[in-house]
Amino acid sequence: AQSVTQLDSQVPVFEEAPVELRCNYSSSVSVYLFWYVQYPNQGLQLLLKYLSGSTLVKGINGFEAEFNKSQTSFHLRKPSVHISDTAEYFCAVSEVGGADGLTFGKGTHLIIQP
Amino acid sequence: NAGVTQTPKFQVLKTGQSMTLQCAQDMNHEYMSWYRQDPGMGLRLIHYSVGAGITDQGEVPNGYNVSRSTTEDFPLRLLSAAPSQTSVYFCASSYSNEGGGYTFGSGTRLTVV
């Protein structure tokens, strides 16, 4: 079984400032890693994913994440946020070779302040 | 492509009523799953399917049934609704569990009174 911990339930950031949303995971087997974004009253949209290879992954809307196996982390970053980035962000994992879908963290609400 | 379509978008039920949440995908995905989203809890897996005729339980299956008679459809049935099942329900599909990433529907907001 896997678990995902998102250390911050809310992160307030000023517009045009950088942001980092933290995610740590626990698993006894190899996993794939994902970040999803949920805008108000909408479904989830895939931001980026780590499957293998380069540990720095670039996604949509200027976001990137770095996989750190020794620290079992997959933190999400953006160098300059915009008001439109206000949303809920979810980190998730799935087991390599498994079949039982995604295990999610509890989410981080990114609040962009003008 | 429509992607993953969920109906209805909103539903109010009385305690004890039953209903079916519909989920359909047109991407020929083998993997489908149902999640519920509650404030501060993230998304939790209810049931999943790896293909037509094959289903299994997730983290929170009690009070829900599923079936998968076709690749396209994966309905979720509430047998006897309870207030604890008030939640937002998401259906998702993927062509495999090998890191393809899941496509999510827009959700069904269910209130049980």
Side-chain angles (χ1 to χ4, degrees):
Chain A
Q2 305 91 42
S3 66
V4 178
T5 302
Q6 292 184 244
L7 297 164
D8 304 298
S9 59
Q10 279 193 130
V11 173
V13 179
F14 286 107
E15 196 169 12
E16 298 184 5
V19 69
E20 177 179 85
L21 306 184
R22 296 180 293 170
C23 172
N24 288 88
Y25 70 93
S26 174
S27 177
S28 57
V29 299
S30 296
V31 294
Y32 300 120
L33 296 139
F34 306 86
W35 276 98
Y36 283 85
V37 60
Q38 184 181 34
Y39 298 105
N41 299 312
Q42 294 188 25
L44 278 73
Q45 180 182 3
L46 181 65
L47 267 180
L48 49 78
K49 60 185 177 184
Y50 174 79
L51 306 183
S52 64
S54 173
T55 58
L56 183 63
V57 180
K58 294 190 183 297
I60 62 172
N61 301 340
F63 284 93
E64 63 181 32
E66 185 154 20
F67 170 57
N68 188 318
K69 187 173 183 179
S70 62
Q71 298 186 3
T72 59
S73 67
F74 191 53
H75 301 332
L76 181 70
R77 302 185 184 99
K78 187 170 183 178
S80 176
V81 296
H82 189 267
I83 197 79
S84 60
D85 293 322
T86 296
E88 193 84 17
Y89 291 80
F90 292 97
C91 182
V93 302
S94 67
E95 180 182 327
V96 174
D100 57 352
L102 296 162
T103 300
F104 284 88
K106 294 185 177 181
T108 298
H109 188 198
L110 179 60
I111 302 167
I112 309 301
Q113 301 169 328
Chain B
N1 282 345
V4 178
T5 302
Q6 290 185 238
T7 56
K9 293 191 182 302
F10 302 94
Q11 183 70 49
V12 179
L13 286 180
K14 293 182 179 179
T15 298
Q17 287 185 317
S18 63
M19 79 160 294
T20 299
L21 308 185
Q22 301 292 345
C23 175
Q25 53 90 10
D26 61 358
M27 298 172 284
N28 202 31
H29 285 173
E30 290 294 327
Y31 287 76
M32 296 186 75
S33 49
W34 277 101
Y35 298 84
R36 60 176 290 172
Q37 182 180 22
D38 302 292
M41 299 294 292
L43 283 82
R44 292 178 291 169
L45 183 65
I46 305 172
H47 285 284
Y48 65 97
S49 169
V50 300
I54 307 170
T55 64
D56 208 342
Q57 297 181 350
E59 179 185 356
V60 288
N62 291 341
Y64 308 95
N65 270 358
V66 291
S67 60
R68 184 95 180 271
S69 56
T70 67
T71 299
E72 294 78 20
D73 300 299
F74 190 42
L76 178 72
R77 296 182 185 84
L78 279 71
L79 307 174
S80 177
S84 61
Q85 294 179 304
T86 294
S87 187
V88 182
Y89 292 85
F90 288 99
C91 179
S93 73
S94 176
Y95 69 87
S96 83
N97 209 48
E98 289 299 309
Y102 279 76
T103 300
F104 281 79
S106 57
T108 295
R109 186 174 295 273
L110 175 68
T111 302
V112 182
V113 298

